[in-house]
Amino acid sequence: MGDMANNSVAYSGVKNAVKEANHGDFGVTLAELRSLMELRATDALHKIQECYGDVHGICAKLKTSPNEGLSGNPADIERREAVFGKNFIPPKKPKTFLQLVWEALQDVTLIILEIAAVVSLGLSFYRPPGGNESRDLLPADGVLIQGNDLKIDESSLTGESDHVKKSLDRDPMLLSGTHVMEGSGRMVVTAVGVNSQTGIIFTLLGAGGDEEEKEKEKKDKKSKKQDGAVENRNKAKAQDGAAMEMQPLKSEDGGDGDEKDKKRANLPKKEKSVLQGKLTKLAVQIGKAGLLMSAITVIILVLYFVIDTFWVQKRPWLAECTPIYIQYFVKFFIIGVTVLVVAVPEGLPLAVTISLAYSVKKMMRDNNLVRHLDACETMGNATAICSDKTGTLTMNRMTVVQAYINEKHYKKIPEPEAIPEKTMAYLVTGISVNCAYTSKILPPEKEGGLPRHVGNKTECALLGLLLDLKRDYQDVRNEIPEEDLYKVYTFNSVRKSMSTVLKNSDGSFRIFSKGASEIVLKKCFKILSANGEPKVFRPRDRDDIVKTVIEPMASEGLRTICLAFRDFPAGEPEPEWDNENDIVTGLTCIAVVGIEDPVRPEVPDAIKKCQRAGITVRMVTGDNINTARAIALKCGILNPGEDFLCLEGKDFNRRIRNEKGEIEQERIDKIWPKLRVLARSSPTDKHTLVKGIIDSTVFDQRQVVAVTGDGTNDGPALKKADVGFAMGIAGTDVAKEASDIILTDDNFTSIVKAVMWGRNVYDSISKFLQFQLTVNVVAVIVAFTGACITQDSPLKAVQMLWVNLIMDTLASLALATEPPTEALLLRKPYGRNKPLISRTMMKNILGHAFYQLVVVFTLLFAGERIFDIDSGRNAPLHAPPSEHYTIVFNTFVMMQLFNEINARKIHGERNVFEGIFNNAIFCSIVLGTFIVQIIIVQFGGKPFSCSELSIEQWLWSIFLGMGTLLWGQLISTIPTSRLKFLKEAGHGTQKEEIPEEELAEDVEEIDHAERELRRGQILWFRGLNRIQTQIRVVNAFRSSLYEGLEKPETRSSIHNFMTHPEFRIEDSEPHIPLIDDTDAEDDAPTKRNSTPPPSPNKNNNAVDSGIHLTTDMNKSATSSSPGSPLHSLETSL
């Protein structure tokens, strides 16, 4: 097999015209082989039989021997490499240092340039280390030629928990990156490098860019010679749309492809995060307004001076006075610059950086390792989470979760004391010896991890049951080593059970058997009673167990296994061991157990929080649809009575593609809003779904999608998503590399904390904006008005810079470090178009600005009379600092200091002090600013244009500052809805037209003042409402007697849990999940009422587990027509 790795189908990049044209001597093209490897199980078999006859036909077309492989001739190898390429996936080329510096310079956030430069320097020299392949890792894709009990672990690629059995007559497709767990085999290699399934995933993650460029260049040189061949191949390719999304092979249609490439090249490399986009837009708007105000200020000051001096006073321009005039103009220019400096919010990016950096550090304590800084903030706007099932929602380990022992059905594993000693002995010995000795449970590799399951996962679940019962299987195996086993009937698809014979010291024999419950139970004539003694087991008793135990287990998605034994007395002649049917019969049933990959205990509560926060959780898994649906129900992704869709990857692809096999966004838009479970999905399907949701324009707000996953197969979707979460413990390196955040504890709950921190970042920025814009409005108006009236700004340039420092650096540090609260999860996501500054915040900004302007102008024009001091207005050019203007400055700073406390609440809450002592940074900054202000005023002197103030003047300044707190309470009592003139600011990217629904968005805005106003009315009407409600309930019951209840079929959902299904077994032998799903396909599917047979499996051989149950629909007036798409999806619980 190693030699045949050279029989390679290699990467051909975006355009494969050259290589396909040169396939010459070979009877198969690269595109044909690549599309073949995307098929699974029976689909692949049909394709091979249809196109090649069998695997030997593939070998013949590839001119290789199924026994000897390639000749090893260097010329032949070189020719194959030229046609098919090498088995090498080129790593993604890291950006150079200069590229990273240039990208940093493109951003307005120059403040974080130093940090970015340091990080960039490290990254520019980083190359991902090359890993060594272990001996059981498949290095390429291929088709099985010959195999012996070959079982493959495809969990890293498909998400499937069970090992997949490979055989020529069922599933001969072998995939690179998967592990051989049992058996041996020989295969012909059909796809290598970036054309293998693992390579395709790496391509989606951005690897192989250089190869694509080389191929494009080659194609450009030779395309003229190959036009005819290309056209013919394009026709063939157009019919095969199996992997349109992932395969760039079809872009050979001349000019169209080139135009698309150009368009793609012109697109921005990375879209800004939601917050970045809004902040940039807002900063530009404020900056323009500030620039306009500063220009007007300078123009007015210059004109006023010129007119007053040379027109009104009629003074001539004297040459000796020119330096003085220039000093005046410089002074005016400095005032204009001061207005501009105060107006432009250069602290915005700093606030974002501080908030994100602080959040990222704190998120580490919540087990979120943030790899990309903006992912934290983006997560706060998430509207959808597409989660993998295996390892993310579940434990990724088969576990016994229910058991029927001693005539009692335990919904949880019983305590050891509850099981009689005799039964326990049968159970321990039977499981220990009747499982392959290669199956074992080892200690965890990492601290805090779970024990490792090695070998068959079903057997590991049974061994885990013994550990749960405080028994050690290894003691039994040490006592009875494998070589002492008298006879073993291994598990296969015919017997659907495994049996092991032990010879006792007295010459008697005991056989232990385990297998699919419907098979083994039929062979049981006895069962262990409540006291552990065998008693007669009649067919009627068996039917009762099927109905009361096995069916309920199967309906919950559990795989049911029956454990049994039989004794052969010593006095009788030795049985004919080869006659298996006579041996494995007359058994005594020990127990029936239900096995599943259990849901992580914290997941249901975490999903409930997500749903309450307005985030839709979807499960995307490679597992079968029955198991996926059962897990989704247990997680809370699906709830009884909800309108939802559960689809398999094949149905999903059929629905989203047109007749040409191309994906259409309109078709995706019809599916994804109701889709909750996507089962049997390939990596392409996950990527397509995520891309489809992100690109959708069905709703006013663009969806912000987070994806969680742990396997290699999750890589493309993790990369495409707005935020990708990878599992830190169970996650593969590919998943981690593609992700934005790594969950260090593999805990879904940590995602909820990430949402909380993300929303907290958003709110922190809003708080900072509310504070800063209040200062901006007041400072600009004061500087502008004061300058125009008094020819001098009341707040000097240095004072303005100190105010700027307060409202930029220190305020951003204080307000951006507020810790998150659970209340953040009680609201819906803000979305991309929701403005940064809500109408409530605008009310607060304008309200506080009004108060501050009144105070400042009162002090400015009447302060000298109030405090009985000299006026500071109309002072000469180099006059010393005045008490008058110092009081104005000091009061202004005090108002900002106390308004910083007001700014902690942005939804109109009254208690602005709530949780203030939980933020030590905030308290320290407010106190520190106050102390520095005292030093500046008392000791600043001329540099700060300050004069010392008395205690009385200080107290008045503090009193007027504290007035902002009282004024804030007054503002809170005014309902925002009454102030129709208020506008929002800081929207995200808008559509050309704003839909009516978005204009009504303010209804959802939290307004505590409105709530308080209505509280009295609510109390008045509450009693009356209760009576009215009772009357309505009675009327509803009355009307239902006559009008009938709503028919479940009137819903558009294909699964409706409001009906009460009537479960019944279709045949005498129900189709119950088997001990190993890989062998279940040998049985013809049992008949289902109004449901067609299940489609062939896509990803592996495991069939849909669960009893085929039917629902009594006698009440229904209509049902889906057999030809409708819904009909094929009507599966029962």
Side-chain angles (χ1 to χ4, degrees), residues 181-238:
M181 303 307 291
E182 297 178 28
S184 60
R186 196 164 70 250
M187 76 174 190
V188 56
V189 175
T190 54
V192 298
V194 246
N195 285 299
S196 66
Q197 293 302 296
T198 301
I200 289 170
I201 290 171
F202 274 95
T203 305
L204 282 177
L205 297 180
D210 291 343
E211 295 289 323
E212 292 185 14
E213 293 301 321
K214 288 176 190 172
E215 294 305 326
K216 200 182 289 183
E217 288 171 16
K218 286 183 184 176
K219 185 232 169 183
D220 291 339
K221 290 177 186 175
K222 299 187 182 179
S223 58
K224 291 181 182 178
K225 299 178 184 177
Q226 299 156 352
D227 286 345
V230 170
E231 282 178 19
N232 292 333
R233 275 190 304 282
N234 283 337
K235 288 175 185 174
K237 245 180 286 179

Side-chain angles (χ1 to χ4, degrees), residues 45 239 538 677 792 873 878 920 1034 1048 1124:
L45 280 174
Q239 296 168 1
R538 294 182 293 272
V677 176
D792 189 11
R873 295 192 304 279
H878 296 294
V1034 172
S1124 71

Side-chain angles (χ1 to χ4, degrees), residues 992-1101:
E992 289 180 5
E993 293 180 5
I994 299 173
E996 290 178 13
E997 292 84 351
E998 192 170 318
L999 295 175
E1001 217 173 26
D1002 295 323
V1003 178
E1004 296 177 8
E1005 188 182 322
I1006 303 169
D1007 187 359
H1008 293 263
E1010 187 74 38
R1011 290 180 183 176
E1012 286 191 20
L1013 199 68
R1014 293 178 182 173
R1015 195 170 288 161
Q1017 296 171 355
I1018 292 168
L1019 289 171
W1020 276 104
F1021 289 113
R1022 187 172 286 165
L1024 181 61
N1025 281 343
R1026 282 180 179 168
I1027 296 168
Q1028 288 175 335
T1029 304
Q1030 289 167 0
I1031 292 169
R1032 283 194 201 104
V1033 171
V1034 172
N1035 288 338
F1037 274 114
R1038 242 181 227 160
S1039 62
S1040 66
L1041 293 173
Y1042 303 105
E1043 296 173 14
L1045 296 172
E1046 180 193 11
K1047 304 255 186 315
E1049 289 72 33
T1050 59
R1051 290 178 171 268
S1052 57
S1053 165
I1054 60 167
H1055 303 283
N1056 195 302
F1057 295 98
M1058 295 303 284
T1059 57
H1060 299 286
E1062 203 174 275
F1063 297 118
R1064 57 180 182 272
I1065 301 295
E1066 292 297 327
D1067 301 327
S1068 59
E1069 181 180 322
H1071 186 78
I1072 296 164
L1074 309 175
I1075 182 171
D1076 192 335
D1077 272 353
T1078 59
D1079 297 306
E1081 280 185 0
D1082 292 341
D1083 282 352
T1086 53
K1087 295 177 184 176
R1088 307 190 201 182
N1089 188 18
S1090 75
T1091 308
S1095 57
N1097 298 321
K1098 184 171 182 181
N1099 287 354
N1100 55 30
N1101 295 3

Side-chain angles (χ1 to χ4, degrees), residues 680-748:
R680 284 276 182 254
S681 64
S682 66
T684 325
D685 298 334
K686 293 185 181 185
H687 185 262
T688 303
L689 176 64
V690 173
K691 184 177 183 296
I693 296 175
I694 289 174
D695 294 345
S696 177
T697 54
V698 172
F699 300 113
D700 301 331
Q701 304 281 5
R702 179 173 99 61
Q703 296 288 299
V704 179
V705 183
V707 170
T708 71
D710 62 343
T712 303
N713 60 320
D714 298 313
L718 287 169
K719 191 79 173 176
K720 178 64 185 173
D722 293 293
V723 184
F725 287 90
M727 300 293 139
I729 299 172
T732 61
D733 289 340
V734 172
K736 291 176 185 174
E737 186 64 30
S739 68
D740 299 296
I741 299 175
I742 296 173
L743 304 178
T744 56
D745 62 346
D746 285 15
N747 194 329
F748 192 86

